[in-house]
């Protein structure tokens, strides 16, 4: 069953703690993306990676970090430097150069 | 900077009413435009896309969109909505490098 999986669905953390969100895809896509969704603001790009061991900052990368050690995995770490981490986080992937992206189910992170 | 704008933040319709959601984009190059839908509790999924050719594109579930180059618009339409169309709708445009830029989203509520 091909697709993108994100775990966990809900995540709760205390302020000041780093937290890592998982994203795995078995679509053999080269490119992967992380977005943040907030009410009334649509989706905003955090980081993206076109190829293994390479990634670029998106529009709101501050307070986040990523790694791309394997083609199928693109974990996102929300660090304590992120001022407003509570949000819905979406991972996506695409074939290299193709405009269409496929999305995972998302992780809702709540930081108190 | 490239942007995508959705004019309606929340639309409330009765079943069988016609739907039109506005989307304007700002980008002077090749356009790749998308409408995505997010049903409650489900993945973000692609409704339809425009790359080139016939400016009237048809998508899933009876949705269609018209690309009007002179107006920089890509409005989503459906002649008769159903309660099951209740969802959040996002317009998106592809930027150079494969990144997508999203509009703010429109929440559609259909009353039975």
């Amino acid at each position: 069953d091909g697709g993108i999986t994100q775990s966990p669905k809900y995540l709760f953390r205390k302020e000041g703690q780093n937290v890592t969100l998982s994203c795995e895809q078995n679509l053999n896509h080269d490119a992967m993306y992380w977005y943040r969704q907030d009410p009334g603001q649509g989706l905003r790009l955090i980081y993206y990676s076109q190829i293994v061991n390479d990634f670029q900052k998106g529009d709101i990368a501050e307070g986040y970090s990523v790694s791309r050690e394997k083609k199928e995995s693109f974990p996102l770490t929300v660090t304590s430097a992120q001022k407003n981490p509570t949000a819905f986080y979406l991972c996506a992937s695409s074939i290299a150069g193709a405009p269409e992206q496929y999305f995972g189910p998302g992780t809702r992170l709540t930081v108190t | 900077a490239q942007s995508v704008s959705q004019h309606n933040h929340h639309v409330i319709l009765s079943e069988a009413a016609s739907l039109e959601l506005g989307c304007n984009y700002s980008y002077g190059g090749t356009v790749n435009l998308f409408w995505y839908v997010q049903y409650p509790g489900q993945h973000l999924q692609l409704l339809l896309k425009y790359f080139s050719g016939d400016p009237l594109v048809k998508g899933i579930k009876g949705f269609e969109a018209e690309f009007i180059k002179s107006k920089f618009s890509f409005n989503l339409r459906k002649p008769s909505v159903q309660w099951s169309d209740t969802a959040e709708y996002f317009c998106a445009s592809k930027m150079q490098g494969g990144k997508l830029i999203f509009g703010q989203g429109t929440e559609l509520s259909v009353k039975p």
Side-chain angles (χ1 to χ4, degrees), chain A residues 32-100:
Chain A
M32 296 186 74
Y33 310 81
W34 273 106
Y35 294 90
R36 170 183 171 137
Q37 184 179 358
D38 297 282
Q41 296 194 57
L43 278 72
R44 293 179 291 168
L45 184 65
I46 304 172
Y47 267 98
Y48 63 105
S49 168
Q50 307 273 37
I51 197 168
V52 174
N53 291 323
D54 188 39
F55 48 83
Q56 286 78 41
K57 292 182 179 180
D59 301 317
I60 55 166
E62 187 175 343
Y64 299 98
S65 66
V66 293
S67 63
R68 187 86 188 278
E69 295 175 4
K70 298 186 294 182
K71 186 176 185 178
E72 58 271 22
S73 177
F74 191 41
L76 173 75
T77 297
V78 184
T79 76
S80 56
Q82 168 49 234
K83 291 183 174 24
N84 294 298
T86 294
F88 189 52
Y89 290 88
L90 286 165
C91 179
S93 70
S94 71
I95 296 169
E100 189 170 332

Side-chain angles (χ1 to χ4, degrees), chain A residues 4 9 33 35 37-38 40-43 45 48 50 57-59 88 90 97-105, chain B residues 9 32 34 36 38 41-46 49 51 88 90 94-95 97-105:
Chain A
I4 302 173
K9 190 171 181 179
Y33 310 81
Y35 294 90
Q37 184 179 358
D38 297 282
Q41 296 194 57
L43 278 72
L45 184 65
Y48 63 105
Q50 307 273 37
K57 292 182 179 180
D59 301 317
F88 189 52
L90 286 165
E100 189 170 332
Q101 294 181 14
Y102 299 84
F103 286 81
Chain B
H9 297 298
N32 293 148
F34 306 85
Y36 282 87
Q38 190 175 38
Q42 294 190 28
H43 293 212
L44 200 68
Q45 55 185 283
L46 184 67
K49 59 191 176 186
F51 295 161
E88 190 158 17
F90 295 93
K94 180 201 163 191
M95 294 172 63
K99 297 184 293 181
L100 286 179
I101 184 165
F102 284 83
Q104 304 92 322

Side-chain angles (χ1 to χ4, degrees), chain B residues 10-37:
Chain B
H10 193 187
V11 172
I12 302 172
L13 295 172
S14 297
E15 276 195 317
S18 64
L19 170 72
E20 181 159 3
L21 301 182
C23 172
N24 285 94
Y25 66 94
S26 65
Y27 181 54
T30 302
V31 289
N32 293 148
L33 297 166
F34 306 85
W35 275 98
Y36 282 87
V37 61

